Amino acid sequence: MSPAPELKATLTLPQTAFPMKANLPHNEPLRLARWTEMRLYDELRKAGKGRPVYLLHDGPPYANGPIHLGHALNKGLKDFVVKSKTMAGFDAPYVPGFDCHGLPIEIKVDEQLGRKKLEMPAPAVLEACRAYAQKYIDLQSSQFQRIGCFGRWDAPYRTMARDYEARTLEALYGFLEKGFVYRGLKPVYWCIHDRTALAEAEVEYDQHTSTAIHVRYALTSAPEGFAPALAGREVYTIIWTTTPWTIPASMAVAFHPDFEYVALAASGDPNTANSATDPVYIVAAELAPATVAACKLGATTELARFKGSALDHTTFKHPFLERSILGVLANYVTADTGTGAVHTAPSHGADDFYTGERYGLDQTCRVDDAGRLHVDESAWPLASPPPFEGKKVWAANPIILAMLEESRALLSASDLEHSYPHCWRCHNPVIFRATEQWFISLDTEIETAQGKRNFRQHTIDEIDKVVWDPAWGKERITNMIATRPDWCISRQRIWGVPIAVFLCEGCHKPIIDHDLNRKVIDLFEREGAEAWHTTDVSALLPAGAQCAHCGSTAFRKETDILDVWFDSGTSWFAVAESDSALKDAYKSFQNNEGAKVLYLEGGDQHRGWFHSSLLTSVALRGRAPYSHVATAGWTLDEQGRAMSKSLGNGVDPVDIAERLGGEIVRLWVASVDFREDMAASENLMQRCAELYRKLRNTFRFLLGNLNGFDPARDRVPEAELLPLDRYMLARTRELAENILGFYETFEFHRVYHAVNEFAIVDLSAFYLDVLKDRMYTFAPTNPARRSAQTVLWQIVEALVRLVAPILSFTADEVWEYLPRVEGREASVHLALFPKPEEIFSENPTKLLEEWKQLFAIRDEALRVLEEARKAKRIGKGLEAEVEIVAAGEQLALLRKHAAGLKEILNVSAVKVAEGPAFTVETLPASGHKCARCWNFMPEVADYGAWKNVCTRCHSALKEMAIATPEAAS
């Protein structure tokens, strides 16, 4: 006779085909292919019809390279929003976008084409730029999809698309026709490397070493006019500047009208007394000591004191040019640094420029677009050019210092490291340069429902109507709008949307004609921006067109292009308001009919996309383009440093996806509070991978214990569940309520922590552990086991949906292994979040509070058991029994749950007794150890050939119809 089968073979152990190893790098692409095959995004759109609309409008990343961690964070957060809103019952379409125009791409194409570009027609250059941008659109699209981001990837919006370019131009014409736009000479940030104007949003600040100099200007007007004591003296003022190259452009010296100024006679030697022949220097009284020390003026004597207003319209001599320098008054002069006398070059500073306007100073800029200096020939006395002629500004600095020294005007020179504006594209220092540019005036009067309003103020009013997350974003963008200058929208490049305006050759004013504008828009829709370069003026203008201002019939096309921030800032118009898949929803938002519109980007976009979108929408539609704005921080390494190639501290999301899985990138995004700066590293990614393994194993254990469970047949009604199982259902409802709230407020890191805690603490460390006895040893159809299975099923049904926006690949995989349910959606992403009341029908508060008290008792019992274990009085928990003495409500609670205490404490027996004080005592378990369930029971007996089987297991074996085995012969 063959030997009897092993007793452990009768246990009902977890069984599932759900694999333990995820092998994400291999399996995720297979799931992406499945989603593509089933056209999942299209199915989501069909499912969303008729639901309330929630629109996340994508801020377009720049299409000039592969994605980095910041991109992954951005798109991951957006994907969490879109998926969570979809599963919350909204129709949440997502059309990704790509920013295509601008300098970085044009520069790369320049490098590729080399000198050949000079011989190429404009359309050929534009085509090369388009091809370059499209290459990275395709790459980034595939990389974003690789990390599980849903969207209309087969038809994203592109700022270089013909329809988009036409809409951008239409928006520009809207500004022109409403009177916002003007062309004028103004100082603007200028990049001499890229040879173009820059907007405020295109400037970043970094440390820069400048040469700081003190220079004296000789007074040429009579000093006794403001200080009789100075009659007959040699008088100077001293200016301080960190831009020596602007000295040739110096036209005035500015004084603060309310500051006190002193006239100091200086000996030049601290040990020499002053005399009547000593030079006299005029500086602000507050800054005099520092100036005397910096310029080594020696012993000084104050000869006079007067207000700055007394110096208005005084005159001084330029240090080396034949030019009279005017004394002017300005409130922007400060007493923080310098001398209180500010060298004023109207063509190289905003304050200087407006002061020049007030005093009628020459505002001609003699620095060309490459940053080369040219002399004012009327002020240069020699036939040969000055040594700085044709030199770039930085190269001119030492030359100008030498000229100042030669003219005995230089009093000091030193290096100064300070924060200085740089071009955010090429990262080179920029300059201020007065040039003819196109501007949008922030002080235009506009028509509103409340009557005429100032554009700037109406924009600020609209900011108040937006929900800003974090809240400090509101103050930040408000301050930026309140203090910003007019918006310079012109750039001197080719790769962009042309400022398609005709200028009169006589008076240089633009033609503003709605019908003509419509004709050009239609041309752009048919042929793209290239048409502006290929279509002759005569083919566009009506026959006999005349300038409305001067009557001229000669016109030329403007060659500047639009600021790329105007491009992307009109995406609400070109996409949200125009795309067939979005326009109805967006119109609902604009009409205040309940639809919400979210913009979610990094903190730098308060001066970028948030900013330009706000200005264009308020100007053209009278309202903000969004209802909600969320702002993300920066990705840093674990030491808080910015990621850079030179430091080698970057984390490549594409590499992480290939090695660990896109799910790990997503889990990292969920793990951080995106409102703060976030740390990322290989170490942190590995931690996320370890947590992922734990979560996956939790899902696998849940699925394994559902083997053979048919919800339609085996589900136990809620009222008939065992108390422990009812508690876990209540706890699951509480988890769902919390997570749904976290998704609503975009607190994805709290979803991450809540799921982590539930899986590890509530499930793995407690419920799944204490259930093992019931799940493994009870008969599969036993009501107590079915009670547990019912709850395990409801937990996994809820949990898989709750994590789906974050763990998109794994949740969809788990979905395929769930017990069959009639009408189940083809993908978890087509399902909705669970409703808390469908998980557990009662308000869980009272039940959870009751179990909170039970857990306090359990914690004390576990402490006592651990002490007994350390003292070697017991081994495993089943080798012990526990006696609990209690009184009052605590005793009543224990008696109410007496039947389940053994399971909760995972021991062989629990006795409850009444007594005056709460105590817990543990003893070695009495009775006999069952060979099957390992519990110590009062009675054990043979079950055929199986020895020492407890009566409970006897019953289970009979219920399972397992015959008594015969002993081996």
Side-chain angles (χ1 to χ4, degrees):
M1 183 180 288
S2 61
E6 290 189 23
L7 184 56
K8 67 180 181 180
T10 67
L11 298 176
T12 308
L13 298 176
Q15 186 176 340
T16 178
F18 183 76
M20 179 184 295
K21 289 188 177 181
N23 197 5
L24 294 174
H26 172 75
N27 288 325
E28 286 172 342
L30 299 179
R31 189 153 297 274
L32 289 172
R34 177 178 178 270
W35 290 340
T36 300
E37 183 182 358
M38 66 184 289
R39 301 190 66 82
L40 181 55
Y41 181 78
D42 294 338
E43 292 301 312
L44 286 166
R45 300 284 58 77
K46 292 176 186 176
K49 284 185 177 179
R51 296 178 183 174
V53 176
Y54 192 95
L55 180 59
L56 189 158
H57 181 45
D58 192 31
Y62 200 67
N64 71 329
I67 68 170
H68 53 65
L69 192 62
H71 287 124
L73 172 77
N74 178 283
K75 283 294 191 286
L77 292 172
K78 291 174 180 176
D79 198 51
F80 297 168
V81 171
V82 170
K83 284 174 178 165
S84 62
K85 288 298 180 184
T86 299
M87 297 188 75
F90 289 89
D91 180 19
Y94 177 64
V95 177
F98 292 94
D99 197 1
C100 310
H101 293 135
L103 270 172
I105 288 175
E106 188 173 345
I107 289 169
K108 287 293 184 183
V109 170
D110 284 354
E111 292 172 357
Q112 290 178 358
L113 297 177
R115 296 189 61 83
K116 185 171 74 170
K117 181 188 175 185
L118 301 175
E119 304 165 7
M120 293 170 63
V125 176
L126 296 180
E127 185 56 37
C129 291
R130 287 187 190 280
Y132 187 93
Q134 189 61 50
K135 169 185 172 182
Y136 286 106
I137 289 172
D138 295 341
L139 176 64
Q140 289 186 11
S141 293
S142 67
Q143 292 174 333
F144 287 135
Q145 290 176 79
R146 176 62 189 85
I147 58 174
C149 296
F150 287 1
R152 200 180 71 185
W153 293 106
D154 58 342
Y157 80 82
R158 303 170 302 147
T159 61
M160 68 179 183
R162 287 178 177 176
D163 60 340
Y164 194 106
E165 290 179 335
R167 297 287 75 75
T168 303
L169 185 59
E170 186 175 351
L172 171 65
Y173 288 154
F175 273 90
L176 274 165
E177 292 169 18
K178 288 173 178 283
F180 286 90
V181 180
Y182 66 93
R183 190 168 184 267
L185 179 72
K186 278 197 173 185
V188 294
Y189 288 114
W190 187 272
C191 177
I192 63 175
H193 179 267
D194 295 327
R195 301 191 183 190
T196 187
L198 301 173
E200 293 268 333
E202 296 172 309
V203 172
E204 60 187 13
Y205 283 81
D206 201 354
Q207 291 302 107
H208 178 70
T209 301
S210 298
T211 302
I213 58 174
H214 287 86
V215 180
R216 67 180 188 176
Y217 282 41
L219 181 71
T220 55
S221 56
E224 55 269 27
F226 58 87
L230 303 184
R233 300 297 294 257
E234 181 186 350
V235 181
Y236 300 86
T237 191
I238 302 173
I239 65 95
W240 177 81
T241 182
T242 57
T243 53
W245 61 268
T246 62
I247 294 293
S250 185
M251 297 289 171
V253 176
F255 303 93
H256 196 289
D258 300 326
F259 283 4
E260 289 243 310
Y261 287 81
V262 292
L264 302 176
S267 68
D269 185 338
N271 301 313
T272 303
N274 295 117
S275 69
T277 59
D278 287 341
V280 177
Y281 296 101
I282 297 172
V283 294
E286 190 175 340
L287 294 165
T291 303
V292 168
C295 298
K296 298 182 173 58
L297 298 183
T300 60
T301 301
E302 183 179 319
L303 302 182
R305 183 177 287 252
F306 40 84
K307 290 285 188 182
S309 56
L311 298 169
D312 193 21
H313 283 90
T314 51
T315 58
F316 299 84
K317 184 184 183 309
H318 190 280
F320 52 73
L321 295 176
E322 289 187 352
R323 178 188 297 155
S324 180
I325 302 296
L326 186 67
V328 298
L329 303 181
N331 289 323
Y332 55 77
V333 177
T334 70
D336 298 334
T337 55
T339 66
V342 176
H343 139 64
T344 299
S347 57
H348 297 299
D351 290 332
D352 303 46
F353 182 85
Y354 296 118
T355 296
E357 276 192 337
R358 284 193 296 117
Y359 281 88
L361 303 176
D362 181 9
Q363 295 173 321
T364 304
C365 181
R366 295 181 175 85
V367 175
D368 65 22
D369 60 359
R372 294 184 292 258
L373 270 67
H374 302 287
V375 72
D376 175 2
E377 293 181 1
S378 66
W380 181 248
L382 303 179
S384 59
F388 61 75
E389 177 68 28
K391 294 289 191 292
K392 289 205 171 185
V393 291
W394 316 120
N397 277 340
I399 296 170
I400 289 167
L401 258 64
M403 294 177 72
L404 290 169
E405 197 158 20
E406 184 179 349
S407 63
R408 301 180 63 194
L410 185 66
L411 299 181
S412 83
S414 61
D415 287 342
L416 175 71
E417 187 173 353
H418 61 136
S419 180
Y420 188 86
H422 288 66
C423 173
W424 80 324
R425 297 295 193 192
C426 67
H427 306 296
N428 287 302
V430 301
I431 65 172
F432 256 109
R433 179 171 177 259
T435 60
E436 286 273 347
Q437 300 291 339
W438 292 89
F439 296 90
I440 290 175
S441 170
L442 270 290
D443 296 309
T444 306
E445 292 290 314
I446 59 175
E447 292 287 347
T448 71
Q450 294 76 37
K452 285 195 173 183
R453 299 291 306 280
N454 175 278
F455 179 29
R456 188 189 305 272
Q457 186 55 51
H458 188 50
T459 303
I460 291 171
D461 292 344
E462 284 299 308
I463 292 171
D464 283 339
K465 300 174 185 177
V466 176
V467 177
W468 299 89
D469 181 12
W472 53 256
K474 175 183 174 182
E475 182 179 3
R476 186 176 188 191
I477 196 167
T478 298
N479 290 337
M480 288 178 172
I481 295 291
T483 59
R484 67 158 297 147
D486 288 348
W487 182 3
C488 176
I489 58 170
S490 50
R491 298 292 181 273
Q492 291 65 50
R493 304 298 298 191
I494 188 174
W495 177 229
V497 176
I499 297 179
V501 172
F502 298 96
L503 297 171
C504 173
E505 291 280 24
C507 65
H508 308 297
K509 292 186 181 297
I511 298 177
I512 300 178
D513 179 272
H514 178 77
D515 292 339
L516 175 61
N517 292 344
R518 188 67 254 176
K519 184 177 181 181
V520 178
I521 292 168
D522 292 343
L523 176 68
F524 272 50
E525 286 179 334
R526 293 193 310 271
E527 303 178 28
E530 288 86 342
W532 189 246
H533 301 277
T534 58
T535 307
D536 193 70
V537 173
S538 61
L540 294 170
L541 288 179
Q546 282 189 319
C547 176
H549 302 281
C550 70
S552 172
T553 58
F555 298 92
R556 64 179 176 85
K557 289 187 289 186
E558 173 60 85
T559 58
D560 286 354
I561 62 170
L562 279 167
D563 172 17
V564 291
W565 288 112
F566 192 94
D567 269 27
S568 59
T570 52
S571 62
W572 61 267
F573 174 59
V575 181
E577 197 177 282
S578 303
D579 191 293
S580 60
L582 305 177
K583 62 182 182 181
D584 289 343
Y586 196 69
K587 188 62 67 177
S588 170
F589 156 71
Q590 290 179 316
N591 293 338
N592 298 314
E593 294 170 354
K596 303 298 182 186
V597 176
L598 170 70
Y599 279 34
L600 191 166
E601 301 298 334
D604 56 340
Q605 297 308 312
H606 289 101
R607 64 172 186 158
W609 189 57
F610 299 158
H611 194 115
S612 62
S613 299
L614 179 66
L615 290 175
T616 57
S617 182
V618 171
L620 299 179
R621 294 293 180 267
R623 62 162 302 148
Y626 35 66
S627 59
H628 293 67
V629 173
T631 307
W634 299 101
T635 53
L636 308 172
D637 69 10
E638 286 186 278
Q639 286 72 49
R641 300 173 300 178
M643 294 183 179
S644 69
K645 290 181 180 178
S646 59
L647 290 175
N649 62 347
V651 177
D652 181 1
V654 177
D655 170 64
I656 296 297
E658 289 176 352
R659 290 191 293 112
L660 303 177
E663 206 80 300
I664 306 308
V665 177
R666 300 178 66 87
L667 203 55
W668 172 80
V669 174
S671 74
V672 296
D673 182 354
F674 71 84
R675 296 160 179 85
E676 308 290 339
D677 289 343
M678 296 146 283
S681 66
E682 175 69 22
N683 177 45
L684 292 174
M685 292 294 175
Q686 291 290 350
R687 284 191 210 170
C688 287
E690 179 58 34
L691 173 64
Y692 171 80
R693 283 189 283 273
K694 292 178 181 178
L695 291 174
R696 185 178 182 87
N697 284 337
T698 299
F699 274 119
R700 187 169 187 271
F701 195 81
L702 288 166
L703 293 171
N705 279 294
L706 291 173
N707 183 42
F709 180 77
D710 180 352
R713 180 193 66 206
D714 303 325
R715 182 177 184 178
V716 176
E718 184 181 297
E720 298 174 21
L721 295 173
L722 296 185
L724 172 60
D725 301 327
R726 283 176 56 80
Y727 159 72
M728 277 309 299
L729 218 49
R731 174 71 183 92
T732 304
R733 170 173 172 162
E734 180 187 45
L735 174 76
E737 288 173 339
N738 289 339
I739 287 179
L740 294 178
F742 297 152
Y743 276 128
E744 177 68 24
T745 53
F746 307 150
E747 294 178 285
F748 307 118
H749 63 295
R750 298 186 72 180
V751 176
Y752 168 93
H753 290 298
V755 169
N756 184 18
E757 180 183 359
F758 184 74
I760 293 173
V761 177
D762 293 85
L763 292 179
S764 297
F766 173 60
Y767 189 56
L768 300 182
D769 185 45
V770 302
L771 275 188
K772 287 176 181 176
D773 181 55
R774 204 187 328 167
M775 295 302 298
Y776 297 176
T777 67
F778 284 34
T781 58
N782 184 282
R785 190 172 187 277
R786 289 300 194 205
S787 173
Q789 280 190 307
T790 298
V791 172
L792 292 175
W793 171 67
Q794 288 185 265
I795 288 173
V796 73
E797 283 277 359
L799 197 59
V800 71
R801 299 167 196 245
L802 292 171
V803 302
I806 294 171
L807 295 176
S808 296
F809 294 100
T810 304
D812 206 43
E813 183 185 4
V814 170
W815 190 253
E816 296 173 353
Y817 289 89
L818 290 174
R820 291 178 63 85
V821 172
E822 189 70 28
R824 184 183 294 285
E825 295 84 352
S827 166
V828 70
H829 300 295
L830 291 167
L832 297 178
F833 281 138
K835 292 181 179 179
E837 64 274 15
E838 292 177 355
I839 297 173
F840 187 64
S841 63
E842 300 176 17
N843 184 324
T845 305
K846 183 178 178 182
L847 184 58
L848 292 174
E849 183 57 38
E850 181 177 295
W851 276 80
K852 184 177 179 182
Q853 298 172 46
L854 278 174
F855 275 109
I857 296 170
R858 179 177 184 267
D859 289 343
E860 176 61 18
L862 294 181
R863 185 190 66 79
V864 173
L865 285 165
E866 183 60 27
E867 286 181 356
R869 190 174 291 112
K870 287 180 179 177
K872 301 192 182 302
R873 295 197 300 273
I874 62 168
K876 294 182 178 180
L878 291 177
E879 296 176 17
E881 61 183 52
V882 172
E883 182 174 319
I884 305 174
V885 176
E889 292 182 0
Q890 198 173 45
L891 177 63
L893 178 67
L894 287 166
R895 285 175 172 169
K896 177 181 177 181
H897 290 276
L901 292 176
K902 169 185 174 305
E903 182 177 47
I904 294 168
L905 298 182
N906 209 8
V907 294
S908 284
V910 177
K911 297 176 182 177
V912 176
E914 185 175 5
F918 172 70
T919 60
V920 177
E921 184 179 357
T922 182
L923 302 167
S926 59
H928 309 280
K929 183 178 180 180
C930 173
R932 182 171 181 270
C933 69
W934 294 7
N935 279 266
F936 282 75
M937 296 292 197
E939 295 180 18
V940 294
D942 295 347
Y943 192 82
W946 292 325
K947 306 294 184 182
N948 302 322
V949 178
C950 70
T951 54
R952 191 185 71 176
C953 286
H954 268 261
S955 299
L957 291 167
K958 290 177 181 177
E959 194 176 342
M960 296 163 69
I962 296 177
T964 55
E966 297 181 12
S969 58

